[in-house]
Amino acid sequence: MNEWTPPILIGFRESACDPASSGMPVANIFDALGIAVQDCLPSQSWALVQRRSAEPADAEQIDTLELVRPDGVKLSIDFSSGKARHRAKEAGKGIQPLARALGAPGYRKKFGTLPSIIDATGGLGQDSWALASLGMPITMIERHPIVHALLANALARAIEHPDTCEIASRITLLAGTAEQLLPTATGQVIYLDPMYPERSRKKAGSRKGMQFLHALLGPAEAEAGARLLHAALQCPVDRVVVKRPRGAELLGDTGTWQGQRTEMESPNTRYDVYHCR
Ligand SMILES: C[S@@+](CC[C@H](N)C(=O)[O-])C[C@H]1O[C@@H](n2cnc3c(N)ncnc32)[C@H](O)[C@@H]1O
């Protein structure tokens, strides 16, 4: 029995308490998402909060969008903080298996450039950001409106920051399903990282960001994964790369797939590479 129900979100605009605050481009986000705004931060319920910038002296700072769980735990996406920049540097090594699965070394050798990537399952943008940090142009697709809003806010803030604007400018974010958007998106490689099946998730344990995603999105459905892969394999790209937990079954039934499929493994992860042309 599926006991998951999507959380109902209440909106709270911290900047509304301070008339001097700018409440910059995310100001109308609650209307756009159809979320009712309250005068005070609700406790014991899910909330989407528009926080003032940490540097109130700078009226041009973009507010931060933050998701708050009923237990008070918070999540925002941040590509521009010193901590995030440090993490991106550290992650340089961690992203190499994915970069290899995407074929980056081969492109560099053959064309002297890196491949353009369509990340069709944007999520918290960690993979896209790390790949853009390596220099790859990215089109990122996210279907969940709240996750998309968090990503859009993080990118807007990263564009404004001198240390991260170059990386952020390599990323184009689209709202909608991959099935709708892939036919018109342009890129050389499609990357899919759908939610892991419940069993693998329990084994691996979930980090905070993934816990939020699971609460928002519900359990992964095998049919949805199969549809996603099918849509990707229809596109005129060089390869489709799917991230899976080690030991998991293939994402979808590719009985009709005539091309070559290879696998690359890193400690907890397997990348299934569908070579399309
Ligand atoms: C596991 S997360 C991706 C994590 C991401 N790779 C990262 O580094 O943060 C999966 C995301 O894909 C999105 N997603 C799943 N199926 C999708 C589809 N068919 N179209 C667009 N987005 C999809 C979900 O809403 C979720 O945010």
Side-chain angles (χ1 to χ4, degrees):
M1 200 174 76
N2 184 356
E3 287 169 8
W4 173 79
T5 48
I8 295 171
L9 268 77
I10 304 296
F12 174 64
R13 196 174 283 140
E14 191 180 54
S15 45
C17 306
D18 174 6
S21 178
S22 61
M24 286 233 343
V26 287
N28 294 321
I29 194 71
F30 299 109
D31 285 351
L33 293 168
I35 292 175
V37 181
Q38 286 191 357
D39 293 342
C40 57
L41 182 59
S43 62
Q44 309 288 310
S45 66
W46 281 87
L48 188 65
V49 178
Q50 183 178 329
R51 291 243 181 252
R52 266 170 302 172
S53 145
E55 295 152 74
D58 183 354
E60 294 305 310
Q61 285 281 325
I62 294 175
D63 288 350
T64 299
L65 212 52
E66 181 180 272
L67 200 53
V68 185
R69 270 191 335 213
D71 60 4
V73 176
K74 299 163 184 164
L75 177 82
S76 61
I77 305 177
D78 197 348
F79 298 130
S80 53
S81 74
K83 210 166 135 196
R85 290 199 302 275
H86 176 71
R87 238 185 3 240
K89 257 192 195 159
E90 293 293 299
K93 268 195 215 143
I95 200 70
Q96 292 304 334
L98 173 57
R100 278 198 298 278
L102 296 170
Y107 278 89
R108 200 196 285 277
K109 206 167 158 196
K110 203 165 162 191
F111 308 112
T113 58
L114 290 165
S116 51
I117 308 296
I118 307 172
D119 177 354
T121 52
L124 302 175
Q126 304 299 303
D127 289 330
S128 271
W129 185 261
L131 294 170
S133 304
L134 294 181
M136 297 182 214
I138 311 283
T139 299
M140 180 166 39
I141 299 174
E142 174 53 51
R143 68 172 174 192
H144 193 285
I146 304 291
V147 182
H148 177 272
L150 293 173
L151 279 170
N153 174 250
L155 280 175
R157 285 181 288 119
I159 285 276
E160 290 298 307
H161 197 293
D163 290 352
T164 47
C165 64
E166 191 188 337
I167 299 171
S169 67
R170 288 193 200 111
I171 301 179
T172 305
L173 174 65
L174 306 176
T177 71
E179 290 83 343
Q180 286 168 334
L181 296 170
L182 277 175
T184 50
T186 49
Q188 289 160 306
V189 177
I190 296 176
Y191 172 51
L192 305 177
D193 174 19
M195 306 299 278
Y196 280 6
E198 189 102 0
R199 220 167 351 117
S200 318
R201 230 179 356 114
K202 283 193 178 143
K203 228 163 64 186
S206 269
R207 274 188 266 155
K208 183 175 90 171
M210 282 300 141
Q211 290 172 12
F212 271 80
L213 284 186
H214 282 287
L216 281 181
L217 307 166
E221 288 170 14
E223 303 78 41
R227 276 199 305 274
L228 180 60
L229 179 58
H230 179 76
L233 291 174
Q234 305 305 307
C235 297
V237 290
D238 294 339
R239 53 173 78 184
V240 173
V241 177
V242 184
K243 182 178 178 184
R244 300 295 282 157
R246 266 182 91 141
E249 63 282 9
L250 292 172
L251 182 61
D253 172 18
T254 50
T256 54
W257 171 250
Q258 302 290 319
Q260 188 197 6
R261 179 176 58 77
T262 56
E263 291 179 6
M264 291 182 63
E265 295 204 329
S266 65
N268 299 315
T269 306
R270 188 187 76 227
Y271 295 106
D272 296 333
V273 183
Y274 297 82
H275 301 262
C276 303
R277 59 183 185 197

